[in-house]
Amino acid sequence: TASAGQDTLKPNIIKGIANQISHPFAYILNLVFQNSSVPNELKFANVTTIFKAGNPAELQKYRPTTTH
């Protein structure tokens, strides 16, 4: 089973209610696009770094990645 994200909802729950939430979710997304504004509640991410290669003291040797 997949793990929950920051919203603590597991993917199987989202799949189970997809038909009920698809229209409200589409409405919210359309408002975001129309207003060119994303609500602060939707602006979150866990960003970690992954070392590529070379000297670990050089910041450019790391790349950012998001995790859930």
Side-chain angles (χ1 to χ4, degrees):
T1 64
S3 62
Q6 285 188 342
D7 57 10
T8 70
L9 295 174
K10 293 187 176 184
N12 59 336
I13 293 174
I14 300 296
K15 287 179 185 178
I17 62 171
N19 287 335
Q20 291 84 0
I21 66 171
S22 60
H23 288 290
F25 187 66
Y27 177 77
I28 292 168
L29 284 179
N30 284 326
L31 284 176
V32 166
F33 293 133
Q34 288 171 3
N35 297 319
S36 301
S37 175
V38 177
N40 287 332
E41 293 82 7
L42 298 179
K43 295 179 185 179
F44 60 85
N46 291 329
V47 179
T48 57
T49 56
I50 296 179
F51 180 65
K52 294 188 284 188
N55 182 354
E58 297 178 33
L59 293 180
Q60 62 267 33
K61 300 296 181 181
Y62 294 83
R63 67 177 174 89
T65 183
T66 58
T67 60
H68 36 88

